[in-house]
């Protein structure tokens, strides 16, 4: 078992990595470790995550009150505490604004397409929580329904939060989310997304269930998560958002629809 000193050094190390990778700018983001049943070690507010010292960190109780530390508690501590309460298996939480994944969150798009087998296996899919003002119950209310089912969540118009049974795993999930967002973006730019079939995803989910016994991975609670080839819903809506009907059409079908509409409008004129 690690000492508090080792946890402090680890938070400083992963904070520096988040900064070096461009996953945070200025004083963005926060990291925490659950020390025991009653306390959490967290990054403080208003500090660059790339320039912290172990002594800058604060210890808070499970209601967010500072127990020790010379700096002030992060305004996002409620998000961390929510995750520790809903996921007793979580021992580390990382929140950051990696640009590509946050771009998806800003576009209102979850990273829920079955594009890469390793992502289906490791994270299932990455849902999008509806927007909530940072530091308020709006934000924790938006995350709460998703936290028990996923290990990585996009937060609309904000960023990403990941968690794991230690800080290293929470950090690695953040890297995985951003890397997958880049892959999804490239596939989108290439104009083609060749999604895995339901059968392929089923096999991966089976493997995932076998793995779950030891890792604590949860079953997804959203339909089309992940979206597979032939799925009738292209993107799952953010949790809590009004449902809209969506459907997939091929390029040829779309061209035919547009040409038909143009023909009709010409006739009218
Ligand atoms: Zn943030």
């Amino acid at each position: 078992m690690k000492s508090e000193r080792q946890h402090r050094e680890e938070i400083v190390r992963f904070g520096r990595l988040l900064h070096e990778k461009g996953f945070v700018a200025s004083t963005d983001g926060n990291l925490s470790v659950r020390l025991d049943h009653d306390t959490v070690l967290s990054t403080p507010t208003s500090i660059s995550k790339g320039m912290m010292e172990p002594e800058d960190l604060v210890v808070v109780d499970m209601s967010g009150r500072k127990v020790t530390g010379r700096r002030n508690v992060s305004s996002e501590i409620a998000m961390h505490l929510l995750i520790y309460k809903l996921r007793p298996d979580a021992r580390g939480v990382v929140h950051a604004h990696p640009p590509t994944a946050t771009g998806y969150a800003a576009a209102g798009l979850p990273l829920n397409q079955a594009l890469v087998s390793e992502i289906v296996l490791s994270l299932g899919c990455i849902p999008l929580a509806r927007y909530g003002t940072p530091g308020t119950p709006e934000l924790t209310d938006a995350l709460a329904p998703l936290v028990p089912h996923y290990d990585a969540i996009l937060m609309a118009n904000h960023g990403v939060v990941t968690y794991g049974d230690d800080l290293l795993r929470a950090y690695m999930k953040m890297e995985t989310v951003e890397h997958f967002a880049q892959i999804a973006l490239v596939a989108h730019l290439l104009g083609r997304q060749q999604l895995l079939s339901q059968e392929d995803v089923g096999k991966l989910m089976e493997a995932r269930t076998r793995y779950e016994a030891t890792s604590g991975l949860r079953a997804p609670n959203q339909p089309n998560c992940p979206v597979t080839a032939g799925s009738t819903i292209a993107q799952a809506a953010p949790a809590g958002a009004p449902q809209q009907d969506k459907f997939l059409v091929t390029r040829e079908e779309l061209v035919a629809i547009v040409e038909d509409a143009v023909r009709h409008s010409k006739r009218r004129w």
Side-chain angles (χ1 to χ4, degrees):
M1 198 171 137
K2 286 183 182 139
S3 66
E4 184 180 320
R5 179 74 202 176
Q6 287 170 315
H7 285 305
R8 284 176 182 269
E9 285 166 359
E10 205 171 64
I11 287 180
V12 167
R13 185 162 73 246
F14 289 121
R16 195 174 299 136
L17 271 173
L18 286 179
H19 188 253
E20 283 170 4
K21 285 183 168 289
F23 288 6
V24 290
S26 183
T27 61
D28 295 345
N30 26 75
L31 306 95
S32 72
V33 164
R34 188 160 193 177
L35 291 176
D36 52 41
H37 187 262
D38 303 315
T39 55
V40 168
L41 178 67
S42 164
T43 51
T45 189
S46 307
I47 192 169
S48 165
K49 303 307 166 296
M51 304 170 197
M52 297 185 296
E53 300 292 338
E55 294 69 32
D56 290 322
L57 307 183
V58 292
V59 176
V60 298
D61 65 19
M62 294 309 283
S63 60
R65 265 190 303 270
K66 185 162 78 174
V67 178
T68 59
R70 61 189 182 194
R71 289 180 172 268
N72 292 327
V73 179
S74 163
S75 59
E76 296 289 20
I77 193 68
M79 169 171 63
H80 294 245
L81 297 176
L82 173 89
I83 290 164
Y84 292 126
K85 278 172 195 159
L86 295 180
R87 290 289 297 267
D89 58 308
R91 312 301 289 183
V93 175
V94 176
H95 164 58
H97 307 161
T100 317
T102 304
Y104 272 81
L109 296 173
L111 283 164
N112 66 349
Q113 294 185 308
L115 287 166
V116 177
S117 57
E118 283 298 312
I119 300 297
V120 175
L121 201 54
S122 61
L123 292 174
C125 73
I126 304 142
L128 173 69
R130 69 172 189 273
Y131 179 72
T133 308
T136 73
E138 266 180 15
L139 186 135
T140 43
D141 289 352
L143 286 172
L146 299 171
V147 169
H149 302 278
Y150 305 94
D151 290 353
I153 302 172
L154 298 187
M155 300 150 73
N157 304 95
H158 185 164
V160 183
V161 65
T162 56
Y163 31 97
D165 50 13
D166 59 22
L167 191 64
L168 170 66
R169 288 186 182 86
Y171 170 79
M172 289 198 297
K173 283 172 196 171
M174 184 62 72
E175 278 195 350
T176 300
V177 170
E178 178 61 3
H179 195 234
F180 178 51
Q182 289 172 12
I183 292 167
L185 180 61
V186 169
H188 177 77
L189 291 172
L190 291 170
R192 256 195 95 194
Q193 285 123 318
Q194 188 169 273
L195 303 182
L196 293 170
S197 69
Q198 188 61 48
E199 192 191 344
D200 289 333
V201 168
K203 285 183 206 162
L204 292 168
M205 287 294 184
E206 247 179 64
R208 189 176 138 91
T209 311
R210 284 198 299 276
Y211 181 53
E212 188 171 359
T214 52
S215 75
L217 283 170
R218 308 302 170 96
N221 73 334
Q222 291 199 320
N224 291 291
C225 189
V227 175
T228 55
S231 166
T232 52
I233 299 178
Q235 302 277 358
Q243 290 293 312
Q244 290 179 319
D245 289 338
K246 295 189 177 179
F247 59 94
L248 292 174
V249 290
T250 64
R251 182 182 292 274
E252 289 74 24
E253 286 166 340
L254 183 62
V255 168
I257 291 167
V258 172
E259 281 177 353
D260 198 42
V262 170
R263 260 199 311 277
H264 274 83
S265 69
K266 273 185 188 154
R267 251 181 247 154
R268 240 176 266 139
W269 292 101

